[in-house]
Amino acid sequence: MTGYLNVEPITAVAAFHSVGADRNCGFRAVSFDVYQDQAKWTTVKADMLKTYLEYKDTLYKVVDTDVVVQFEEQRIIKRLQSTKSPCLDDLHLWFSTFICPQLVADTYERPVIMYCYVENCLKTGEKRINYESQLYVPLINMQLADSSKPITLLLAFSHFYYVEFGHTPKGRMKKINKPVLNMDHQRLRNDYPNLCNPTDYSVLF
């Protein structure tokens, strides 16, 4: 599994945890961290839905026409209300890498690190591998002590894994190369200064 993760040093990774492959795996991976039990993935969805409904007209509002905004809103609500398992035939119910990581960060007031491993086969037969990593920082609130307790996910071959990092003797997470801050972070802070915490927690990373 270490070959799927662009982390330096790789020795900072303590374990990879594969969760149920019913296409609710993203929510299961979050549940594995938050509740130490992947079976509580529906509780994770309920938690996220509560946060989404509170800020759906601001922080999580899609920038587009009114028709598209309404469509996306209903699709996100449907995703978070669904308890269908498995849901192999409906990708709109899966954990979205577009909005879900930020929702998780704000819901549990902890940073989220999202790693992706993508293989593309060129016409020449050559395999091209892309490693991606993004950091999502809570916009509303976070205890400073939780800045070193990220919820870390890896998406590889359409399956989510929970990534567990090792800790120092003092209990702090081992240092790793910094993931890229997601592109919407500063835009949202600029657009909604009254909702976002005055402290930009991204400076802690």
Side-chain angles (χ1 to χ4, degrees):
M1 290 301 301
T2 55
Y4 299 150
L5 203 61
N6 187 20
V7 172
E8 296 178 3
I10 196 62
T11 53
V13 177
F16 293 90
H17 300 276
S18 183
V19 295
D22 62 348
R23 289 298 188 259
N24 290 304
C25 49
F27 302 102
R28 287 180 178 275
V30 174
S31 183
F32 189 97
D33 178 294
V34 175
Y35 293 110
Q36 294 77 56
D37 182 359
Q38 64 163 297
K40 293 186 177 180
W41 61 273
T42 56
T43 302
V44 166
K45 282 194 170 189
D47 295 342
M48 293 171 64
L49 179 60
K50 182 178 179 181
T51 303
Y52 176 74
L53 292 176
E54 184 172 357
Y55 298 103
K56 68 180 179 65
D57 295 322
T58 50
L59 296 176
Y60 309 128
K61 186 176 181 179
V62 177
V63 180
D64 212 311
T65 64
D66 290 344
V67 173
V68 173
V69 168
Q70 185 176 12
F71 174 78
E72 289 297 330
E73 179 183 310
Q74 292 305 310
R75 188 159 68 171
I76 294 168
I77 291 173
K78 179 183 178 183
R79 172 184 290 120
L80 297 177
Q81 287 180 334
S82 173
T83 58
K84 183 179 178 181
S85 175
C87 58
L88 307 177
D89 58 341
D90 192 347
L91 61 86
H92 296 305
L93 300 181
W94 303 356
F95 189 95
S96 166
T97 57
F98 173 68
I99 188 172
C100 288
Q102 187 63 58
L103 255 175
V104 171
D106 292 328
T107 298
Y108 299 110
E109 300 182 352
R110 290 170 57 194
V112 171
I113 301 177
M114 180 78 223
Y115 292 102
C116 293
Y117 174 88
V118 181
E119 287 188 1
N120 292 308
C121 190
L122 305 181
K123 291 182 178 180
T124 59
E126 177 188 356
K127 185 194 305 182
R128 179 167 294 172
I129 297 175
N130 292 321
Y131 296 95
E132 298 176 8
S133 63
Q134 289 197 78
L135 172 68
Y136 296 81
V137 181
L139 294 167
I140 305 159
N141 191 45
M142 183 178 72
Q143 298 296 316
L144 295 183
D146 288 336
S147 64
S148 62
K149 301 175 184 177
I151 298 170
T152 307
L153 309 175
L154 165 65
L155 175 61
F157 302 106
S158 300
H159 183 68
F160 282 92
Y161 301 82
Y162 170 65
V163 181
E164 179 183 351
F165 286 110
H167 292 79
T168 67
K170 292 185 178 181
R172 293 188 62 83
M173 190 185 92
K174 291 183 177 180
K175 290 185 177 180
I176 59 171
N177 54 320
K178 180 182 176 180
V180 177
L181 184 64
N182 80 88
M183 67 178 73
D184 286 323
H185 178 80
Q186 198 56 54
R187 176 184 67 80
L188 292 171
R189 287 189 57 79
N190 291 339
D191 289 351
Y192 302 103
N194 295 330
L195 288 178
C196 295
N197 196 292
T199 301
D200 184 354
Y201 298 115
S202 68
V203 300
L204 300 174
F205 298 89

